[in-house]
Amino acid sequence: MSEQPPGDRPVLKWLWLLVVMLIAGAAIPAQGRVNAELAAAADDPLISTLFTYLVGMVIIAPVVFLTRRGRRGLANVRPAIREGSVSWWHLFAGCLGTYFIFTQGVAMAAVGVAVFSVAVVTGQTVGGLLWDKIGLGSGGPKHLNGFRLLGAGLTILSVLWAVSPQLSANGSLAWALMVVLPFTGGFVQSAQQAINGRQTAAYGTLLPATLFNFVTGAVLMALIYGGKVLIAGTGDALPAVWWNYLGGALGLVFVGLGAYLITQVGVLVTAMGMIAGQLVGSLVLDIVFPAPGSVIAFATVSGTFLTLVAVIVASLPDIRRSRPS
């Protein structure tokens, strides 16, 4: 995984970053599909979240401790905290991710993939605007110019258009309350990405922040799942299908790449680019591995394309500012 974009030319650099955003975002619906399958097979949404963090931790730990870049990054953690560029509580950003993954297992089946996607995207976009404004990510506060606000609004409208063939009316209070879960899940996930970006800038590499995410998430989920077992017992037997356990590997993709992207383009544009990746990834999944109820229509493809336009609109000031005079 390269941590430096190729070349110094701003347009080529931005195109490279856009590809990274799409890859990172596409891992999210793939993880959601895998986790939903595991949660349904085990009849326990907590088990998919637990395995996501355990598998991710097992993969990332050797990379951090056995590589020079990883060890050098770990050595920078204490000085970064002492200097104030990172706070001690930033190390627990992975606990925010457990909530988002939990909403995948609980709310997606209850409200449907389409409504879930709109709620998550709205939460991510609102969160991206807020965290950029207050400077939670790296680089300090960012001015919310008209391009960023227009791009954010266009992103939400694009997702609504893309999933409109799947939307259905449901006015029950329980359903409305369930929609709050993915909205808040997207909101806190954007905070997690912002904090990870701040750590990546402080340590000089994304590896320590990624490790901390999966270690703290695994510990938290182990405690929650252990309490659940004591009260209600275990669910059904775990499935033997190997790809049901790929959620952790996919989580490494969007957590690690998201942390890197924050340092390059900020929280909002990262969130918007990954949203475009989510739609592209969902479209590919629905074509190659269609799920029950999936719909591919003109609005689906057009809305997906429009999210890419929204990312370009929001990024225009940064691209123009970085061009040589």
Side-chain angles (χ1 to χ4, degrees), residues 29-153:
Q31 185 196 55
R33 182 77 67 89
V34 168
N35 284 344
E37 290 278 350
L38 178 56
D43 192 27
D44 188 347
L46 292 178
I47 201 70
S48 62
T49 310
L50 175 62
F51 268 94
T52 293
Y53 280 94
L54 289 176
V55 171
M57 183 178 65
V58 168
I59 295 173
I60 192 62
V63 176
V64 174
F65 290 108
L66 298 180
T67 63
R68 182 178 301 175
R69 182 183 293 274
R71 292 193 299 271
R72 187 165 60 242
L74 285 176
N76 291 333
V77 173
R78 189 183 296 271
I81 295 176
R82 186 167 54 245
E83 295 165 3
S85 56
V86 171
S87 298
W88 64 267
W89 58 270
H90 290 157
L91 307 183
F92 296 88
C95 296
L96 299 176
T98 61
Y99 178 69
F100 172 71
I101 298 173
F102 176 73
T103 64
Q104 289 178 330
V106 174
M108 188 177 290
V111 303
V113 176
V115 175
F116 182 89
S117 299
V118 173
V120 167
V121 164
T122 305
Q124 289 172 327
T125 306
V126 172
L129 287 167
L130 176 61
W131 309 136
D132 263 352
K133 179 65 176 176
I134 68 175
L136 182 61
S138 62
K142 294 184 180 295
H143 178 61
L144 298 182
N145 54 53
F147 284 102
R148 287 177 174 268
L149 293 173
L150 177 61

Side-chain angles (χ1 to χ4, degrees), residues 22-290:
L22 295 178
I23 293 172
I28 296 177
Q31 185 196 55
R33 182 77 67 89
V34 168
N35 284 344
E37 290 278 350
L38 178 56
D43 192 27
D44 188 347
L46 292 178
I47 201 70
S48 62
T49 310
L50 175 62
F51 268 94
T52 293
Y53 280 94
L54 289 176
V55 171
M57 183 178 65
V58 168
I59 295 173
I60 192 62
V63 176
V64 174
F65 290 108
L66 298 180
T67 63
R68 182 178 301 175
R69 182 183 293 274
R71 292 193 299 271
R72 187 165 60 242
L74 285 176
N76 291 333
V77 173
R78 189 183 296 271
I81 295 176
R82 186 167 54 245
E83 295 165 3
S85 56
V86 171
S87 298
W88 64 267
W89 58 270
H90 290 157
L91 307 183
F92 296 88
C95 296
L96 299 176
T98 61
Y99 178 69
F100 172 71
I101 298 173
F102 176 73
T103 64
Q104 289 178 330
V106 174
M108 188 177 290
V111 303
V113 176
V115 175
F116 182 89
S117 299
V118 173
V120 167
V121 164
T122 305
Q124 289 172 327
T125 306
V126 172
L129 287 167
L130 176 61
W131 309 136
D132 263 352
K133 179 65 176 176
I134 68 175
L136 182 61
S138 62
K142 294 184 180 295
H143 178 61
L144 298 182
N145 54 53
F147 284 102
R148 287 177 174 268
L149 293 173
L150 177 61
L154 190 58
T155 297
I156 297 174
L157 291 176
S158 301
V159 176
L160 278 170
W161 189 16
V163 302
S164 59
Q166 305 171 53
L167 292 174
S168 59
N170 191 325
S172 69
L173 177 60
W175 183 89
L177 291 175
M178 190 64 72
V179 173
V180 174
L181 283 178
F183 171 81
T184 53
F187 186 80
V188 300
Q189 188 206 31
S190 64
Q192 178 194 19
Q193 291 174 340
I195 295 171
N196 288 340
R198 190 184 191 95
Q199 292 186 75
T200 297
Y203 308 150
T205 174
L206 57 83
L207 293 175
T210 307
L211 174 65
F212 297 150
N213 270 253
F214 282 89
V215 170
T216 56
V219 171
L220 176 62
M221 283 311 305
L223 293 173
I224 293 174
Y225 185 72
K228 179 261 180 186
V229 170
L230 290 176
I231 297 172
T234 59
D236 296 338
L238 293 175
V241 182
W242 64 271
W243 55 265
N244 282 165
Y245 302 93
L246 291 179
L250 294 166
L252 282 173
V253 173
F254 72 77
V255 170
L257 292 182
Y260 161 67
L261 288 165
I262 296 290
T263 66
Q264 302 296 313
V265 297
V267 186
L268 177 62
V269 176
T270 295
M272 291 171 56
M274 291 178 66
I275 287 166
Q278 290 177 52
L279 290 184
V280 172
S282 298
L283 186 60
V284 172
L285 280 174
D286 285 342
I287 293 173
V288 180
F289 303 107

Side-chain angles (χ1 to χ4, degrees), residues 5 13-22 260-261 264-265:
K13 175 182 177 180
W14 186 86
L15 288 175
W16 158 256
L17 292 173
L18 178 61
V19 171
V20 176
M21 290 182 220
L22 295 178
Y260 161 67
L261 288 165
Q264 302 296 313
V265 297

